[in-house]
Amino acid sequence: MGIKYMEEYRDPEIAGRIADNIRRASKRPIRLMEVCGTHTVSIFRNGIRGMLPKTIALLSGPGCPVCVTTQKEIDTFIRMAGLDEVIIATFGDLMRVPGTSSSLQKQRAEGRDIRMVYAADDALKIARQHPDKKVVFPGVGFETTAPTIAATLLAAREMRLDNFFVFSAHKCVPPALFALMGNQDVRIDGFILPGHVSVIIGTRGYVPFFQKYRVPCVVAGFEPVDILQAIYTLIRQIESGKAELSNDYRRVVTVDGNTKAQQIMKDVFEVRDAAWRGIGTIPESGLKIRATFSDLDAEKMLDFRVPESVEPKGCCCGEILTGRKIPPECPLYQKVCTPEDPVGACMVSSEGTCAAYYRYQGSGIGGQGSGARSRGPGVRDQVSGRERDKSPCTDS
Ligand code: SF4
């Protein structure tokens, strides 16, 4: 892909023209959800909220994998780190997520062997370098990440490694869409579907969801023109009373997706019910390691018990991940929960909604003056209106 080609998707003039079209086409108040955390960040970074008319409220969804990883899963990783001869090899953002009484980062400071890696492959290398240790890689991510982890397990099998294990906490996006639309408290008029996940599962992966709910959906890329074009596509559908499953990211996403990656996933994982932070158990939304790979499955091979997990008091991650609240409505936001000292997972990952709000709208670290800041109160009113009186944040 040439640079000029990409520049077109960042062209302010093109973006401005699409925003004009949106303003002309949008007549009634609607709520659109960008499912993916990368979209959330791009929307803030590019000031897209500030380019939209007040009729359009953008909600952030459950598409940040670290954010939806449950407290119990985090506590499990921490518990495994305490086992003899275990090295935890993990991505950096996972290390900072607070569990019930600690975090991987704190455990490392207390002397546990926890290493930050940039790819699952790095964990494999650590296992080869330390045959006397058990190296555990926490498998956190959606369909985008799962094929890579599956390939790592296949490589471990080929290398005959007997000291490399994965704990699979992988989750799948389409079942989460079913759960969102099935929740009576959530009203969403259209979905901006995640580009990266769609590369793997293709538009075909959303067909059962779309056929059941007939809600406007569009697969979108991550540049400002991509996102604005996707919003315009949704507005046109909604205003004309239509619902379609559209693909506005055709330069990367196909109908069938990456069938090779899908096959690797199927070879290594099987579907199971999975709990999502703040959402609860969603049927057939998780991936567990198949019995044929049980010798590489940390769940099967390591002996540990995890005490009962407790959610952080006052944290509204569940409502934020389902679009029922925005971060400023959490009583802890900015006061006691910050990226430097996060209370909930949504403030940890750079793709977390609370972290994105803090960075681009709050008084904290970034504050690039996105449109979101200037529209903050207006967005807040639109988004929260119907639900403002309900406040089921955890124990607050
Ligand atoms: S701001 Fe509130 S909802 Fe967001 S992570 Fe912090 S405590 Fe949880």
Side-chain angles (χ1 to χ4, degrees):
M1 189 177 297
I3 288 173
K4 183 175 182 299
Y5 186 61
M6 283 311 299
E7 278 177 352
E8 285 170 8
Y9 292 94
R10 297 169 188 159
D11 187 317
E13 262 188 56
I14 298 174
R17 280 204 296 275
I18 300 171
D20 287 343
N21 289 339
I22 291 171
R23 278 191 289 274
R24 275 195 292 272
S26 180
K27 308 283 186 223
R28 58 195 168 100
I30 55 159
R31 297 153 57 90
L32 307 179
M33 175 174 276
E34 85 271 3
V35 176
C36 171
T38 312
H39 277 142
T40 300
V41 172
S42 182
I43 284 165
F44 273 112
R45 185 184 293 135
N46 292 295
I48 285 174
R49 285 170 185 245
M51 300 171 77
L52 300 178
K54 288 191 174 175
T55 43
I56 301 173
L58 291 182
L59 314 173
S60 303
C64 154
V66 167
C67 303
V68 296
T69 300
T70 63
Q71 197 75 345
K72 185 164 185 195
E73 285 163 341
I74 299 294
D75 287 340
T76 299
F77 304 150
I78 292 168
R79 187 78 189 90
M80 288 190 297
L83 299 175
D84 287 341
E85 309 301 330
V86 163
I87 299 174
I88 301 285
T90 183
F91 298 135
D93 47 2
L94 202 61
M95 287 178 62
R96 299 179 54 242
V97 180
T100 298
S101 56
S102 187
S103 68
L104 288 171
Q105 192 173 48
K106 283 183 187 160
Q107 290 295 300
R108 185 164 76 161
E110 289 172 16
R112 303 295 182 196
D113 197 343
I114 300 166
R115 305 185 189 192
M116 192 171 84
V117 294
Y118 295 96
D121 224 26
D122 297 339
L124 217 50
K125 280 182 205 143
I126 295 170
R128 292 175 75 184
Q129 287 160 2
H130 299 277
D132 53 328
K133 304 271 189 183
K134 295 170 185 163
V135 175
V136 179
F137 182 79
V140 167
F142 299 124
E143 292 93 334
T144 329
T145 314
T148 313
I149 311 299
T152 308
L153 284 166
L154 291 171
R157 169 63 55 81
E158 205 175 302
M159 292 176 201
R160 296 172 190 261
L161 281 179
D162 60 1
N163 69 328
F164 176 77
F165 308 95
V166 168
F167 185 100
S168 178
H170 294 104
K171 294 175 176 58
C172 302
V173 167
L177 302 178
F178 277 93
L180 283 168
M181 288 302 287
N183 185 332
Q184 298 298 317
D185 289 338
V186 177
R187 184 174 71 76
I188 300 164
D189 299 301
F191 285 95
I192 300 171
L193 297 172
H196 295 141
V197 165
S198 305
V199 169
I200 304 297
I201 68 174
T203 53
R204 197 184 298 287
Y206 303 104
V207 168
F209 166 72
F210 178 74
Q211 284 180 337
K212 173 155 187 186
Y213 288 105
R214 292 278 159 194
V215 60
C217 291
V218 59
V219 176
F222 298 97
E223 301 300 334
V225 167
D226 285 319
I227 294 171
L228 285 163
Q229 183 57 48
I231 293 169
Y232 185 42
T233 296
L234 290 176
I235 299 298
R236 279 186 299 173
Q237 286 189 34
I238 292 165
E239 292 294 342
S240 62
K242 284 186 194 153
E244 287 169 8
L245 172 54
S246 304
N247 181 5
D248 281 359
Y249 200 22
R250 285 171 194 265
R251 66 185 187 276
V252 177
V253 174
T254 61
V255 172
D256 291 329
N258 184 332
T259 52
K260 197 171 170 195
Q262 290 168 20
Q263 190 57 53
I264 290 174
M265 262 199 293
K266 277 187 198 145
D267 289 345
V268 174
F269 297 117
E270 61 185 297
V271 168
R272 67 172 161 191
D273 297 349
W276 294 52
R277 182 185 291 268
I279 299 175
T281 298
I282 302 178
E284 300 189 349
S285 68
L287 297 174
K288 73 171 179 179
I289 296 171
R290 286 191 182 278
T292 43
F293 290 90
S294 60
D295 55 318
L296 302 169
D297 186 349
E299 244 178 300
K300 302 269 165 52
M301 299 304 289
L302 301 189
D303 191 17
F304 59 90
R305 279 174 60 85
V306 183
E308 198 174 333
S309 296
V310 180
E311 300 285 338
K313 197 173 177 181
C315 174
C316 302
C317 271
E319 288 166 287
I320 284 162
L321 291 164
T322 49
R324 287 174 293 156
K325 277 188 184 293
I326 58 170
E329 293 175 313
C330 170
L332 308 185
Y333 175 73
Q334 280 189 336
K335 297 186 187 90
V336 290
C337 182
T338 65
E340 292 78 22
D341 193 11
V343 175
C346 298
M347 189 59 96
V348 175
S349 167
S350 60
E351 293 192 351
T353 306
C354 298
Y357 262 79
Y358 189 93
R359 183 170 182 199
Y360 293 107
Q361 190 174 2
S363 56
I365 50 180
Q368 288 184 7
S370 72
R373 183 186 295 166
S374 61
R375 283 199 60 216
V379 171
R380 181 174 172 160
D381 285 345
Q382 290 172 50
V383 170
S384 62
R386 193 163 56 96
E387 294 84 4
R388 184 177 294 124
D389 293 336
K390 299 177 188 175
S391 186
C393 294
T394 316
D395 294 329
S396 59

